[in-house]
């Protein structure tokens, strides 16, 4: 009977252990899914491939996931730290800290994360084999396009050439020559003790040759490491390049999202629109950011862009540094009031050259009388008098708008987009 009770007890313990293991595995699987979605939901599928091509050491973390884990680690970072990708992804950055990491510096980083701002600071981190190393740590938030919330943090880690600074006693004598200082303090100590930096061993000599722990505050000796201006500038440049790349692939993701929501116009409508031999685009006001859903061949010739570079974009992509803000506001107000407008605006081609555009924008209603699209008709200023029929720009604008309206009204009452 005693053996039976013992057997049942062991069986319950085994079941309990299996249940706990199963729960842990489920949590881990859920965490991994979130990490995968961290990129997939915000960027084009090509973003990780592009990030992998960057040689610098950096990580990307997601503050929206519990534990603020690393969701991307560059090859440069893995090589520098000695860890594999599997050992890093999903972990918090504190795994690289150690006994000699300055807690005040760590608190400064945490404060920057809490306040969603950038920070550049010196940190002592540890490689997988336990060796410490000084690095210039630059952290910067990544803001989402839709709501402006922080969706990631990028952290660039630049190993620095070590400059040992030692303040001894109260006379503030500063020693910057590492090799000379080691010779003075250690004398005939073994060579391996005098390695790259005293900070690697967690101890520094104080007055009278006493060795003290550098983590202890308020003692006679303090030790730090500084990066040169070139290293600081280089790290800031790397951050800018990464943020630019993420922004680019975020735009591609936004376009992909627009494509998935864009309803095909239909072959009959496309054929009808294709017969219009003028430069124009159709924009859908019912989709986020009012993307272009149709662009004529003449518009492609005028701007130099390919069709797949245009569809899904907002028309502002052909604006530039010298485009008049007042004109842009006039266009925006006419759309908000659902009225037509004609303006003269400076636009830019793909090759960077500018041209003056006589632009006419008008709402296009479907068969039910609801606004289905906005049409934008472009006439280049230098070509405004080159019409084969001698029509004025205003008449040509009206002709295109009329032809587009006829094509759109062939949509069935329930098929077209509506307000």
């Amino acid at each position: 009977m005693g053996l039976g009770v013992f057997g049942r007890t062991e069986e319950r313990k085994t079941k309990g252990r299996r249940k706990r293991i199963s729960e842990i595995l489920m949590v881990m699987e859920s965490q991994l899914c979130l990490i995968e979605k961290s990129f997939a939901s915000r960027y084009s599928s090509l973003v990780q491939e592009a990030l992998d091509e960057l040689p610098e050491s950096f990580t990307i973390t997601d503050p929206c996931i519990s534990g603020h884990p690393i969701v991307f680690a560059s090859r440069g970072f893995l090589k520098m730290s000695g860890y594999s990708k599997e050992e890093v992804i999903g972990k918090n950055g504190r795994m690289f800290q150690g006994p000699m990491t300055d807690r005040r510096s760590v608190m400064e980083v945490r404060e920057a994360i809490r306040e969603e701002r950038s920070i550049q600071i010196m940190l002592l981190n540890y490689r997988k084999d336990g060796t410490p190393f000084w690095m210039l740590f630059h952290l910067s938030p990544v803001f989402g396009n839709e709501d402006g919330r922080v969706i990631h943090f990028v952290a660039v880690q630049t190993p620095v050439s070590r400059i040992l600074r030692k303040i001894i006693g109260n006379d503030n004598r500063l020693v910057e020559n590492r090799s000379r200082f080691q010779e003075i303090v250690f004398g005939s100590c073994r060579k391996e003790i005098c390695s790259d930096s005293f900070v690697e061993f967690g101890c520094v000599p104080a007055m009278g040759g006493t060795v003290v722990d550098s983590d202890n505050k308020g003692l006679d000796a303090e030790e730090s490491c500084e990066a040169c201006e070139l290293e600081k500038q280089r790290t800031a440049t790397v951050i800018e390049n990464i943020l630019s790349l993420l922004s680019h692939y975020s735009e591609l993701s936004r376009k992909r999202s627009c494509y998935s929501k864009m309803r095909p116009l239909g072959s009959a409508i496309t054929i009808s629109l294709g017969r219009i031999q003028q430069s124009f685009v159709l924009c859908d006001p019912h989709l986020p950011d009012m993307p272009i859903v149709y662009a004529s061949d003449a518009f492609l010739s005028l701007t130099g862009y390919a069709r797949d570079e245009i569809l899904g974009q907002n028309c502002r992509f052909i604006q530039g540094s010298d485009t008049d803000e007042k004109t842009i506001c006039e266009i925006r107000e006419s759309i908000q009031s659902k009225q037509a407008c004609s303006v003269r605006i400076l636009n830019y081609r793909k090759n960077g050259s500018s041209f003056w555009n006589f632009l006419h924008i008008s709402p296009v209603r479907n068969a039910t009388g609801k606004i289905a699209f906005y049409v934008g008709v472009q006439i280049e200023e230098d070509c405004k008098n080159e019409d084969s029929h001698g029509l004025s720009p205003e008449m040509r604008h009206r002709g295109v708008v009329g032809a587009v309206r006829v094509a759109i009204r062939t949509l069935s009452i329930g098929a077209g987009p509506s307000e």
Side-chain angles (χ1 to χ4, degrees), residues 57-123:
S57 171
F58 65 94
T59 55
I60 299 176
T61 58
D62 191 334
C64 304
I65 301 177
S66 176
H68 196 161
I70 296 170
V71 295
F72 180 87
S74 71
R75 293 178 182 178
F77 176 82
L78 298 176
K79 182 179 179 180
M80 179 185 70
S81 65
Y83 286 92
S84 66
K85 183 178 179 180
E86 292 72 24
E87 292 173 311
V88 170
I89 300 300
K91 304 295 194 305
N92 185 279
R94 72 175 68 93
M95 69 178 287
F96 308 108
Q97 299 169 12
M100 290 288 297
T101 304
D102 183 25
R103 301 306 159 198
R104 288 177 298 184
S105 298
V106 173
M107 291 305 296
E108 286 185 49
V109 173
R110 290 178 182 172
E111 189 71 11
I113 292 172
R114 188 181 68 81
E115 296 177 359
E116 299 181 345
R117 59 177 172 82
S118 298
I119 184 174
Q120 191 176 83
I121 193 170
M122 290 300 305
L123 278 180

Side-chain angles (χ1 to χ4, degrees), residues 302-351:
L302 175 64
T303 62
Y305 288 93
R307 185 167 275 109
D308 61 354
E309 294 177 303
I310 291 172
L311 296 181
Q313 294 264 32
N314 182 281
C315 287
R316 75 174 71 91
F317 83 101
I318 59 172
Q319 297 170 11
S321 56
D322 291 328
T323 303
D324 184 28
E325 285 294 331
K326 291 182 180 179
T327 305
I328 296 172
C329 288
E330 185 179 346
I331 294 171
R332 190 179 296 121
E333 289 172 1
S334 72
I335 293 172
Q336 290 174 349
S337 61
K338 302 176 183 178
Q339 301 294 320
C341 77
S342 296
V343 297
R344 178 176 178 266
I345 186 170
L346 186 69
N347 283 153
Y348 290 79
R349 298 182 176 87
K350 183 178 179 179
N351 63 10

Side-chain angles (χ1 to χ4, degrees), residues 375-395:
V375 59
V377 186
Q378 303 82 21
I379 298 178
E380 187 177 1
E381 184 176 49
D382 293 342
C383 305
K384 65 178 182 177
N385 296 318
E386 297 179 7
D387 182 65
S388 59
H389 300 288
L391 297 176
S392 66
E394 293 77 12
M395 291 299 294

